[in-house]
Amino acid sequence: MLVSMPLLRVAGPDDVAELAVVFLDCWRISYARVMPAALVAGMTAERAREMWADALRRPGQAVIAATQDERPHAVLGFVGFRLREDGAGYVSSLYVSPSLQGGGVGGLLLAEAERELRDAGARAACLWVFADNASARAFYLRRGWRLDGRREVLPEWGQQQLGLTKALAG
């Protein structure tokens, strides 16, 4: 459980290693409960670093990190999002260190992404969640996101994903 409120800041290239650690911990601990073992084992530290270095270079992609409020300001979790060409918001990722899940970091990060997307003009946002990840689905549903009927299986993951949508502007 988190003792103090984390700091939120824009993540940059210097954060790649810490983003990859949080991401990899989520794959190895949280996803191990709901995803096939071969998929979990296939995510290496090198692949995770490459993925997040690429994400930080992607035009229009924002990544906000939640960090400890005291030195060394370690990354506790992060959220990636962008404004799509059609003007809708898209939350591309949300990862929180497994030892801190359920402590409010994810909700804080998601709320910040929603606020920034709304401020950028998005009236609604969407995201994908693995169908077998019931705890992630419940997390989003508690925060006003709704299953929208979209389904996809990306070749790189080979797992069913479900689409969720949320109205941002009232």
Side-chain angles (χ1 to χ4, degrees), residues 18-38:
E18 285 191 76
L19 298 178
V21 166
V22 170
F23 173 78
L24 202 53
D25 284 350
C26 288
W27 270 82
R28 291 179 175 165
I29 298 169
S30 303
Y31 281 8
R33 298 179 198 130
V34 297
M35 304 299 282

Side-chain angles (χ1 to χ4, degrees), residues 59-60 82-90 117 122 126:
R82 64 181 169 83
L83 202 56
R84 295 188 328 196
E85 289 181 17
D86 65 3
Y90 176 61
L117 289 167
C126 62

Side-chain angles (χ1 to χ4, degrees), residues 37-50:
L39 180 63
V40 173
M43 183 56 68
T44 64
E46 180 181 349
R47 184 173 176 207
R49 282 190 301 274
E50 288 172 4

Side-chain angles (χ1 to χ4, degrees), residues 89-109:
Y90 176 61
V91 177
S92 56
S93 56
L94 176 60
Y95 292 96
V96 174
S97 177
S99 65
L100 298 173
Q101 290 174 3
V105 175
L108 185 68
L109 285 164

Side-chain angles (χ1 to χ4, degrees), residues 87-162:
Y90 176 61
V91 177
S92 56
S93 56
L94 176 60
Y95 292 96
V96 174
S97 177
S99 65
L100 298 173
Q101 290 174 3
V105 175
L108 185 68
L109 285 164
L110 184 61
E112 180 65 14
E114 292 171 4
R115 185 190 66 74
E116 290 200 23
L117 289 167
R118 185 174 41 254
D119 289 353
R123 299 181 55 100
C126 62
L127 58 82
W128 292 99
V129 65
F130 286 115
D132 290 339
N133 194 343
S135 62
R137 271 198 330 274
F139 168 84
Y140 291 115
L141 293 173
R142 284 191 306 271
R143 285 158 182 80
W145 290 77
R146 296 289 168 247
L147 291 166
D148 60 21
R150 293 177 302 135
R151 294 175 180 268
E152 75 172 8
V153 176
L154 295 177
E156 64 198 270
W157 309 129
Q159 298 299 303
Q160 176 99 336
Q161 295 186 84
L162 305 175

